[in-house]
Amino acid sequence: VDLGHAAKRARVRGLEDIADVGDLLRRGDATVDLARRLATSLGASDGVPIESVRLAPPVIHPRVFVCVGRNYLEHIREGKADVPTSPILFAKFANSLVGDGAKVVYHKITRELDYEGELAVVIGRRAAGVAAAEAMNVVAGYSIVNDISARDLQNGDVQWIRGKSLDTFAPMGPVFVTADEVPDVDALRIETRVNGELRQSALCGEMIFKVPRLIEFITEGITLQPGDLIATGTPSGVGAGMTPPRWLQIGDTTEVSISGLGELRSVIAAPVGYPLLKVLRGTSGH
Ligand code: MG
């Protein structure tokens, strides 16, 4: 449903120019309630077929997009890393966000492209110094993020920024699901497939630091605002954890699904204007 169009037809004011879920959340509770009431009043004829539209990521411009590294024990083991005693945080930028069905660019500066299926938390209200016991009150809802990673850049640079935040490195979606529809985060199953082959499968309850603790840890020093994002870490089964490693190649599809949140599909594609032959030659040997 085009919210602005539906609001106009229903003569509802205040929903005309909402850009994305983040924008809606930033308008505050009254506007969110208005959208919720309008949505429940709509019929099937008010919408357009999902196949006829290209989905943007639910949040386009998060102020803060914080990610969690090494948050599942089996993933730490496959990476031969130490178990952290407190959450390991890093950041992705908004430039990396793309929607469901979008291309992930095989940038020419990497030869070790990898996937990481993750639960994404969307913040719904201002959060500073929030205790874990109160943390779920600031969660607006959930989505899926594929934390695409260039392992050679991640391991070769001192910081993870290039390895984690090149353009298109954060497919997100397909949708945003409000928190009231997700009664038990721990029971959510997350699965990642590459060209249909199951690579990752875990329960979100296997996280070492769960969503309330993550929010507590982050907001001890970083104020979160409506529309901000947390990517909560990936389970085992990434390409880097295999012997030999199995990197993504041009033409591969990745699908990350989480129970109740849908399936996020991405296609690995050559950079625009870059000779495909050169990319293929560069990837041979892997
Ligand atoms: Mg990750």
Side-chain angles (χ1 to χ4, degrees), residues 95-98 103-114 148-153 161-170 248-250 267-272 274 278-280 282-283:
N95 71 300
S96 60
L97 284 163
V98 289
K103 292 172 180 169
V104 167
V105 175
Y106 192 112
H107 291 266
K108 57 188 177 186
I109 50 176
T110 178
R111 287 294 167 269
E112 295 183 1
L113 197 63
D114 209 348
I148 298 282
S149 306
R151 300 299 182 195
D152 39 6
L153 303 183
I161 289 176
R162 286 201 311 162
K164 291 288 192 175
S165 204
L166 300 184
D167 293 347
T168 74
F169 268 27
L248 293 169
Q249 305 295 345
I250 289 165
V267 183
I268 311 303
V272 174
Y274 194 71
K278 196 170 176 184
V279 174
L280 292 174
T283 59

Side-chain angles (χ1 to χ4, degrees), residues 82-99:
D82 294 329
V83 178
T85 52
S86 57
I88 296 174
L89 303 185
F90 63 96
K92 287 172 100 92
F93 303 134
N95 71 300
S96 60
L97 284 163
V98 289

Side-chain angles (χ1 to χ4, degrees), residues 20 36 45 61 109 111 116-117 129 131-132 145 168 242 246 256 262 282 285:
D20 66 331
R36 199 189 293 268
S45 62
H61 297 297
I109 50 176
R111 287 294 167 269
E116 294 190 353
V145 160
T168 74
M242 297 175 187
R246 295 175 71 183
V256 185

Side-chain angles (χ1 to χ4, degrees), residues 21-26 28-29 32 36 59 120-127 134-143 172 176-182 185 211 215 224-230 261:
V21 168
D23 190 15
L24 175 63
L25 294 170
R26 282 189 285 271
D29 288 348
V32 172
R36 199 189 293 268
V59 175
V121 175
V122 181
I123 298 299
R125 51 186 82 247
R126 184 180 181 278
E134 306 295 327
M136 297 310 263
N137 296 329
V138 306
V139 175
Y142 304 92
S143 189
M172 181 191 182
F176 162 77
V177 176
T178 50
D180 58 301
E181 294 189 57
V182 184
V185 173
V211 174
I215 290 171
L224 296 176
Q225 299 281 0
D228 286 345
L229 301 178
I230 304 170
L261 305 186

